[in-house]
Amino acid sequence: MIDTGSFVKAVKQILMQDWDSIGVQSVAQAQDEYDAYTAQLAGMILRGASQSDLVKYLIELEKKAMGFSGDRSRALFVAEKLWRVADR
């Protein structure tokens, strides 16, 4: 069974270190920037989302919420890390 608190912290860390689409990793005041996405992704994973679902969500965030073109290779890398942290 997954310790939800530790799992959510791990998801947040992966987003900040490996995804960080807007480059706020080193900005102290912005450490909560991805919290809403963290909660959504953690919930998706706990409900059984596939790696493909995670990739689609990350790319959608980059395109719709941030106005970027979406980085598929980064999204795939991050989705794989998220999947591993959940012991899937």
Side-chain angles (χ1 to χ4, degrees), residues 51-84:
Q51 282 188 32
S52 178
D53 293 331
L54 302 178
V55 169
K56 288 176 190 174
Y57 178 72
L58 291 167
I59 291 173
E60 181 179 304
L61 285 174
E62 289 180 346
K63 288 182 174 182
K64 293 182 180 175
M66 299 171 185
F68 300 134
S69 60
D71 185 331
R72 182 161 179 72
S73 62
R74 178 176 53 208
L76 181 57
F77 174 75
V78 170
E80 288 172 352
K81 283 192 85 167
L82 291 168
W83 193 256
R84 281 195 307 268

Side-chain angles (χ1 to χ4, degrees), residues 4-75:
T4 307
S6 295
F7 177 65
V8 171
K9 285 180 185 177
V11 170
K12 180 176 181 169
Q13 182 176 7
I14 290 168
L15 289 181
M16 288 301 288
Q17 291 180 351
D18 299 303
W19 185 61
D20 195 21
S21 292
I22 58 175
V24 296
Q25 178 182 28
S26 62
V27 180
Q29 309 89 295
Q31 295 305 297
D32 63 348
E33 186 67 28
Y34 302 134
D35 285 358
Y37 309 144
T38 298
Q40 180 67 24
L41 280 164
M44 289 172 67
I45 295 164
L46 293 173
R47 289 187 301 276
S50 68
Q51 282 188 32
S52 178
D53 293 331
L54 302 178
V55 169
K56 288 176 190 174
Y57 178 72
L58 291 167
I59 291 173
E60 181 179 304
L61 285 174
E62 289 180 346
K63 288 182 174 182
K64 293 182 180 175
M66 299 171 185
F68 300 134
S69 60
D71 185 331
R72 182 161 179 72
S73 62
R74 178 176 53 208

